[in-house]
């Protein structure tokens, strides 16, 4: 039996009868206390796969995005993302409320493209706790952000 899994959203893939049976029979525990053997195994497998010391289970893409924004940007900074990026359209006030950052969309080819954004000049001059001046982004950094689909308002 072939199972089509679409990871675009956690609501797209519909579990089969076998998948539902497996879930209902799975050993469970409190994931918050690291007592869920299935989640623990998943985290161990991912950490090993990625060559990391540990992994953390995040149940939604939105949660992943919000944590990433909080880790990579400081409150008051601007995060640059492709105009079609999920946080721009579907996370609305989350980045501001949870990470204290402002979202800025830029046009360009799809995030997987190796071409730079169409308007690198759309990056604004900012005033931060480090004083007035440019955003700190070079054209090379802007191109890398567009390529990777990852943006960070403050490049060192």
């Amino acid at each position: 039996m072939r199972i089509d899994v679409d990871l675009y959203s956690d609501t797209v893939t519909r579990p089969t009868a076998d998948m539902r049976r497996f879930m209902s029979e799975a050993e469970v525990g409190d994931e918050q206390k690291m007592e869920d053997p299935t989640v623990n195994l998943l985290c161990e497998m991912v950490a090993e796969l990625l060559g990391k010391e540990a992994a953390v289970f995040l149940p939604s893409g939105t949660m992943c995005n919000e944590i990433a924004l909080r880790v990579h940007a400081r409150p008051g900074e601007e995060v640059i993302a492709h105009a079609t990026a999920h946080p721009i359209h579907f996370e609305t006030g989350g980045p501001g409320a949870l990470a204290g950052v402002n979202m800025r969309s830029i046009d360009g080819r799809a995030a997987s493209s190796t071409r730079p954004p169409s308007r690198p000049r759309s990056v604004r001059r900012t005033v931060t706790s480090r004083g007035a001046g440019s955003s700190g982004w070079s054209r090379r950094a802007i191109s890398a952000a567009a390529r990777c689909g990852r943006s960070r308002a403050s490049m060192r």
Side-chain angles (χ1 to χ4, degrees), residues 55-123:
V56 64
F57 174 68
L58 300 174
S60 75
T62 298
M63 183 182 287
C64 295
N65 289 342
E66 297 304 329
I67 290 172
L69 291 172
R70 185 66 179 105
V71 168
H72 291 291
R74 288 177 255 172
E77 291 184 329
E78 185 171 71
V79 174
I80 301 166
H82 190 271
T84 62
H86 189 271
I88 298 289
H89 293 280
F90 302 105
E91 295 176 21
T92 57
L98 300 172
V101 299
N102 295 309
M103 297 300 296
R104 169 92 169 175
S105 66
I106 58 173
D107 293 328
R109 297 176 66 85
S112 62
S113 171
T114 57
R115 296 182 68 184
S118 61
R119 296 189 61 213
R121 290 188 183 108
S122 66
V123 177

Side-chain angles (χ1 to χ4, degrees), residues 136-150:
W137 283 69
S138 66
R139 286 186 182 267
R140 182 175 175 203
I142 293 168
S143 296
R147 271 196 311 275
C148 298
R150 294 187 304 255

Side-chain angles (χ1 to χ4, degrees), residues 15-34:
T16 65
D18 285 341
M19 293 167 85
R20 288 181 189 276
R21 184 179 45 73
F22 182 84
M23 287 186 281
S24 70
E25 295 173 3
E27 184 180 349
V28 296
D30 189 335
E31 183 273 327
Q32 296 284 316
K33 296 178 181 176
M34 299 187 75

